[in-house]
Amino acid sequence: MNFKKARENMINEQIIKRGIKDERVLNAIADIPRENFVLKQNEKDAYLDCPLPIGMGQTISQPYMVALMTQCLSLGGSEYILEIGTGSGYQTAILSKLTTRVYTVERFKVLSDRAREKFNDLDLKNIETIVGDGSQGLEKYSPYDAIMVTAGAEQIPKKLIEQLKENGKIIIPVGSSYFQELLLGKKIENKLKVKNYGGCVFVPLVGRYGWVE
Ligand code: SAM
């Protein structure tokens, strides 16, 4: 299978045609081999327009959703980012191409370890992987310029808002455990100004400030 060609098609047909314009985001997606981040048996499906299973009942997100969430953060290159839900590490790898440092938290060690191997394979050096409950954020390196949550929450966890810088942005799916709205919040004078980017479906954010397991 010609993965490079499949990647170009994915970018043109699934991402640009749906309105993603940020050249830096498109270049980062072109740079990262999605086939590295799916299970071996799903390699041929890596560029399909859908999420795929990655083990532990979790998924690698749909390519368009990765592009949309990334574009929403309007990254300039100098940000310190907190990502909650490493999963396969695909989204993390895209973020790492677009900014200075990415801290990524995953609740399953097996997924975090696997993702870290992928980052090493691709020589992505500006990522720190952490195993833990990301619904509580990551106090240690806060405040962050941007926070991306790749699992669905009932509401925006207050700890994450606290750990965001003034003018910082958070992108997060919020709703029920089976359907959410993608919300982009900008922190202005300690309050979030929120814009809704429409419906989406993510696995639940499970933790102290998320869903009960
Ligand atoms: N962006 C990922 C990718 O590209 O593969 C997809 C992530 S998947 C949709 C959501 C991930 O969030 C899962 O791996 C899940 O285990 C993780 N997760 C759920 N609740 C979490 C929590 N409280 N802290 C950290 N990770 C969590």
Side-chain angles (χ1 to χ4, degrees), residues 97-131:
K97 288 279 179 188
L98 292 169
T99 195
T100 299
R101 188 111 188 113
V102 187
Y103 302 99
T104 184
V105 185
E106 170 57 51
R107 61 190 280 257
F108 291 114
K109 185 174 185 303
V110 61
L111 296 182
S112 181
D113 289 349
R114 199 189 295 152
R116 197 174 51 242
E117 277 174 29
K118 307 294 176 185
F119 304 147
N120 290 340
D121 293 345
L122 294 174
D123 209 22
L124 302 173
K125 295 190 190 303
N126 59 345
I127 301 172
E128 184 165 333
T129 55
I130 297 106
V131 176

Side-chain angles (χ1 to χ4, degrees), residues 34 37 51-52 54-62 66 69 83-92 105-108 111 130-136 148-152 201-211:
R34 188 169 159 93
F37 293 88
L52 293 169
I54 55 171
M56 307 305 291
Q58 307 303 318
T59 53
I60 178 173
S61 303
Q62 178 199 28
V66 171
M69 291 178 81
E83 182 196 31
I84 311 299
T86 315
S88 68
Y90 177 67
Q91 170 74 78
T92 325
V105 185
E106 170 57 51
R107 61 190 280 257
F108 291 114
L111 296 182
I130 297 106
V131 176
D133 174 13
S135 75
Q136 306 186 48
M148 180 182 285
V149 184
T150 67
V201 178
F202 279 81
V203 296
L205 179 77
V206 175
R208 180 157 176 209
Y209 296 97
W211 296 96

Side-chain angles (χ1 to χ4, degrees), residues 5-17:
K5 187 86 196 124
R7 188 149 65 245
E8 277 170 24
N9 284 344
M10 172 189 83
I11 292 170
N12 289 325
E13 300 300 319
Q14 302 174 31
I15 296 179
I16 295 177
K17 278 195 181 164

Side-chain angles (χ1 to χ4, degrees), residues 6 10 32 38 64 85 89 93 103 132 159 162 165 167 178 194 206 209-210:
M10 172 189 83
I32 298 295
V38 301
Y64 168 68
Y103 302 99
K159 283 282 173 191
E162 283 168 23
K165 279 186 192 165
N167 286 317
Y178 51 89
V194 176
V206 175
Y209 296 97

